[in-house]
Amino acid sequence: MKNTRIGIIGAGPSGLAQLRAFEAAEKQGLEVPEIVCFEKQENWGGMWNYSWRTGVGKYGEPIHGSMYKYLWSNGPKECLEFSDYSFDEHFKKPISSYPPRPVLFDYIQGRINKSNARNYIRFNTTARWVSYDEDTKKFTLILDDLKNDKTYSEEFDYLIVASGHFSTPNMPYFEGIEDFPGTVMHAHDFRGADQFKDQNILLIGSSYSAEDIGVQCHKHGAQSVTLSYRSNPIGVEWPDGIKEVPLLTHFEGDTAHFNNGHKEQFDAVIMCTGYQHKFPFLPDELRLKTKNNLYPDNLYKGIFFNDLPQLMYLGMQDQYYTFNMFDTQAWVARDFMMNRYEIPSKEERSKDIDLWLEKNNNLQSSFDHVDFQTDYIKELIALSDYPDFNLDKVADMFKEWLNDKDENILTYRDKTFQSVVTGTVAAEHHTEWMDELDDSKERYLFADEKEEALTEVETTTKAI
Ligand code: FAD
Ligand code: NAP
Ligand code: MG
C-alpha cells in the first residue's frame, strides 16, 4: 500500500475522521497508504477552530469559519458522540448535553491528539486546483504553501474532499438594501451579539442560523429581534422581544417592508440565508453540484463521486448527525481505498442513488428527516467495522430535541440526555443556559468545582 497516495483536502471534523480511520486500521496491524492532508488554516478543527477574523486571513485567503463567540451546541452532544472515543473517556466526568464551542473543540482534538495525525497534515496550505489524468489514473493537486508563498504540485491515487459547505454565503438581494444605513452582514461574518445590544435587528431566514443568532442576540441584550421567513416560519412560541414575520419585499432607508403589509425600522440586518457548496479548486467534471440537502445527487453512498469513485466527498449532506456520520463515511472510504470494500458498476450505483433521492423527495416532517439520515448511517455502519451504536436511540433523542425546542426555545439547552456509547446520563450544567454569559471551557468545566472549593474554604474559615 505504500506506493498508493491519498490526498485529503481539509482538516475539519471530516478530514480528521479520515485520518482517524486509517489510524484505526494501522492499529490492527494493516499496512496503510501514504496520506497527506492539506489544511489552509493554521490549525485543525474546521468550523470549530474559531476565528475572530472576517473577510480574509493573514495570507489573504477567504476566512473559512462561520462560528461565533457564545456559540453552544445546538443539538445534544449525545447525538454526535464518536463511538470509538466517548465524552467520558475525554472529560473523565459527566458533562452537560449542550456544551459551548471550546468544549466541543477540545473533545474533537482529544481523539486525534493521541495519534501522530499532525504529522500527516500540511497546515497553511490551500488546495488551489485539481486535475485528473485518464491515462495515469492519478490526480494532480496544485498547492499553495501560504506561509512561504510557494506553489507546487503533487500526484495522488485517491482524493478526499473534506472542505465543508457552510463557508461561502448565499447572499440574496432585496430592493433598496444598498441604501440601508445600518449594518448589513451575512451570518458567516457574525462573531457575537455584543455589537447588537439595544438594537432592533432583522434576521432573514428560518433555519438554524436565524434561530440561534436570533436567540443569542435576545440573550445578550438586543432591543428586538425580527425573523423574516421565505417558505415556512420556525414556528416556535417566541418570547417577548422575538417575533417572526413573512418575507421582506424591499427597504426604504432604514424601513423594511414585508409581504403582509407590515413595515418596521431596523438598526441592522443579518442574512441567515444559508451557504453555497463551493469548490473553487475543482474543475467542472469533478465538482459536486448541489444545494444543501440530505442526499446530494451523484454521490454513491453519499461519498463516492459517481463519475469517478476515486474521488470521494465527506460531510456534504445537510446535517442532523455530524461527527459520527463523518466517521461512518470515512471508515467506508478507507476500506474502499484499502481494497477491503468493493463498489458495484456505475449503473448499479446510479440505481442506488436514485432510490435514495426518491425517498428524500417524499420526506415531509422533521421527524422524517431524522429517520432518513438515521437509515443512511445504518447502511454505512453495516459496511465497515466502525463501532456500532444504537442509532434508533439517537433518532429518538433527535426527536426529543425537536420537541424540546418547540416547547421552549430558551431552555432546551438545559435538558440532559443519556449516552448510547457509555450509558452515562449527562450532568446538569451548573448554570441555566439563559443566565450563562461566559462560554469558556474553564468556566464550563470547573466553575462548580471552584465554587465547592470556595464553600469549603468558607466553612473551614468559619469553623476556625
Ligand atoms: P468544516 O468544519 O467546514 O472543515 C473544513 C476544513 O477544510 C476547514 O478547516 C477549511 O479550512 C478546510 N479547507 C476548505 N477549503 C480548503 C482548501 N481549498 N484547501 C485546504 N483546506 C481547505 N455541528 C454540530 O454537530 N453541532 C453544532 O452545534 C454545530 N454548529 C454549527 C454552527 C455553525 C455556525 C456552522 C456553520 C456549522 C455548525 N455545525 C454544527 C456543523 C459543522 O458543519 C460540523 O460540525 C463540522 O464542522 C463539519 O465538518 P467538516 O470537516 O465537514 O467541515
Ligand atoms: P440552512 O439550514 O441551509 O438554511 C438557510 C435558510 O435561508 C433557510 O431558512 C432558507 O429558507 C433561507 N433562505 C435562503 N435563501 C433565501 C432568500 N433568498 N430569502 C429568504 N430566505 C432565504 O443554513 P443555516 O441556517 O445557516 O445553517 C447552516 C448550518 O449551520 C446547519 O448545519 C446548522 O446546524 C449550523 N448552525 C448551528 C448553530 C449552533 O447553534 N450550534 C448555529 C447556526 C448554524 P427556505 O426554507 O425558504 O429555503
Ligand atoms: Mg459494521
Side-chain angles (χ1 to χ4, degrees):
M1 287 255 82
K2 272 294 166 207
N3 45 20
T4 302
R5 297 195 85 217
I6 292 170
I8 304 173
I9 300 177
S14 294
L16 293 176
Q18 195 60 71
L19 290 172
R20 170 73 170 186
F22 280 113
E23 185 207 350
E26 199 165 33
K27 275 195 183 142
Q28 291 171 12
L30 298 167
E31 200 192 333
V32 300
E34 190 189 334
I35 303 158
V36 191
C37 176
F38 303 101
E39 171 51 60
K40 71 177 187 178
Q41 301 188 62
E42 223 158 36
N43 198 8
W44 57 26
M47 278 294 152
W48 299 91
N49 169 25
Y50 172 75
S51 170
W52 59 268
R53 293 172 189 270
T54 55
V56 293
K58 66 175 167 185
Y59 301 113
E61 293 291 301
I63 286 293
H64 184 81
S66 302
M67 284 200 182
Y68 34 89
K69 272 190 288 177
Y70 319 134
L71 183 136
W72 293 63
S73 177
N74 65 344
K77 75 179 196 304
E78 287 75 13
C79 291
L80 56 76
E81 189 166 15
F82 299 127
S83 82
D84 70 341
Y85 186 71
S86 65
F87 281 99
D88 286 359
E89 182 176 347
H90 184 73
F91 290 105
K92 318 281 186 227
K93 65 175 189 182
I95 62 168
S96 78
S97 282
Y98 292 90
R101 187 204 54 79
V103 173
L104 281 177
F105 185 39
D106 197 64
Y107 171 62
I108 298 166
Q109 297 187 83
R111 177 170 87 156
I112 206 83
N113 265 333
K114 293 193 167 171
S115 69
N116 55 356
R118 246 181 212 283
N119 300 341
Y120 298 109
I121 307 173
R122 290 190 207 154
F123 291 102
N124 292 308
T125 304
T126 299
R128 191 66 75 207
W129 193 247
V130 175
S131 55
Y132 179 73
D133 186 325
E134 290 287 348
D135 297 328
T136 62
K137 307 254 176 276
K138 285 185 196 294
F139 297 95
T140 300
L141 260 66
I142 296 182
L143 299 149
D144 265 349
D145 173 345
L146 302 173
K147 218 171 178 170
N148 297 308
D149 197 10
K150 288 274 175 221
T151 302
Y152 62 100
S153 71
E154 283 191 17
E155 286 192 342
F156 295 92
D157 301 282
Y158 296 95
L159 183 65
I160 304 282
V161 178
S163 53
H165 59 93
F166 293 129
S167 232
T168 305
N170 170 47
M171 192 78 163
Y173 171 72
F174 294 93
E175 199 190 316
I177 197 165
E178 62 273 37
D179 295 324
F180 182 81
T183 300
V184 176
M185 64 162 70
H186 188 273
H188 171 65
D189 296 318
F190 176 84
R191 289 291 176 268
D194 314 65
Q195 79 180 92
F196 300 107
K197 196 169 179 297
D198 300 324
Q199 295 199 2
N200 297 304
I201 59 170
L202 171 62
L203 271 54
I204 303 168
S206 57
S207 187
Y208 300 102
S209 292
E211 172 193 302
D212 195 56
I213 292 175
V215 167
Q216 175 169 138
C217 288
H218 172 76
K219 175 176 167 180
H220 289 267
Q223 175 79 27
S224 76
V225 175
T226 302
L227 307 166
S228 167
Y229 63 88
R230 177 172 63 178
S231 313
N232 299 300
I234 298 171
V236 303
E237 226 173 89
W238 295 105
D240 283 350
I242 310 183
K243 67 173 182 298
E244 266 189 301
V245 298
L247 193 60
L248 170 80
T249 53
H250 62 283
F251 290 95
E252 259 179 314
D254 64 357
T255 303
H257 294 257
F258 300 90
N259 67 15
N260 64 348
H262 177 69
K263 62 176 181 173
E264 192 172 335
Q265 286 178 304
F266 293 100
D267 300 306
V269 179
I270 309 175
M271 302 269 195
C272 302
T273 41
Y275 295 87
Q276 308 178 37
H277 280 64
K278 189 86 183 164
F279 307 100
F281 50 88
L282 286 171
D284 213 29
E285 67 279 9
L286 302 180
R287 196 156 67 231
L288 178 68
K289 296 178 180 180
T290 182
K291 290 199 163 146
N292 188 23
N293 77 84
L294 291 173
Y295 214 88
D297 197 358
N298 292 318
L299 291 184
Y300 178 63
K301 302 289 174 209
I303 305 169
F304 302 95
F305 194 60
N306 204 23
D307 289 337
L308 183 70
Q310 279 163 266
L311 170 65
M312 284 151 272
Y313 285 86
L314 300 181
M316 289 302 152
Q317 298 67 14
D318 196 9
Q319 295 156 10
Y320 281 90
Y321 291 82
T322 53
F323 305 160
N324 43 11
M325 176 169 76
F326 311 149
D327 276 8
T328 56
Q329 294 177 328
W331 257 248
V332 173
R334 173 202 70 189
D335 285 354
F336 171 71
M337 292 183 274
M338 291 180 68
N339 303 320
R340 303 193 323 160
Y341 164 66
E342 252 180 62
I343 58 172
S345 69
K346 187 172 178 188
E347 203 190 4
E348 291 294 312
R349 298 198 298 264
S350 297
K351 271 193 212 156
D352 189 73
I353 293 172
D354 287 345
L355 280 177
W356 281 100
L357 290 178
E358 198 189 320
K359 268 199 239 176
N360 190 16
N361 275 338
N362 293 326
L363 304 178
Q364 306 278 342
S365 66
S366 306
F367 282 17
D368 291 348
H369 290 141
V370 168
D371 288 336
F372 177 87
Q373 198 154 64
T374 304
D375 287 346
Y376 165 62
I377 297 173
K378 276 185 184 171
E379 186 183 80
L380 289 186
I381 268 207
L383 298 178
S384 84
D385 64 358
Y386 185 67
D388 221 338
F389 59 99
N390 188 340
L391 276 144
D392 291 323
K393 194 155 177 237
V394 177
D396 287 344
M397 291 195 278
F398 271 121
K399 292 174 188 173
E400 211 176 315
W401 161 73
L402 288 165
N403 285 335
D404 289 345
K405 287 207 297 181
D406 268 350
E407 225 166 75
N408 192 328
I409 195 75
L410 301 183
T411 60
Y412 79 91
R413 284 185 168 104
D414 298 323
K415 304 269 179 175
T416 52
F417 291 81
Q418 184 178 18
S419 162
V420 291
V421 180
T422 56
T424 299
V425 176
E428 276 192 21
H429 190 42
H430 47 70
T431 309
E432 282 180 6
W433 182 75
M434 268 304 278
D435 296 329
E436 182 60 279
L437 299 175
D438 180 347
D439 68 349
S440 68
K441 187 174 96 181
E442 178 68 9
R443 162 138 183 100
Y444 177 82
L445 288 176
F446 306 118
D448 46 354
E449 287 172 21
K450 271 192 193 147
E451 265 157 37
E452 259 168 45
L454 279 178
T455 324
E456 263 167 41
V457 173
E458 271 170 25
T459 325
T460 330
T461 324
K462 270 181 201 155
I464 292 167

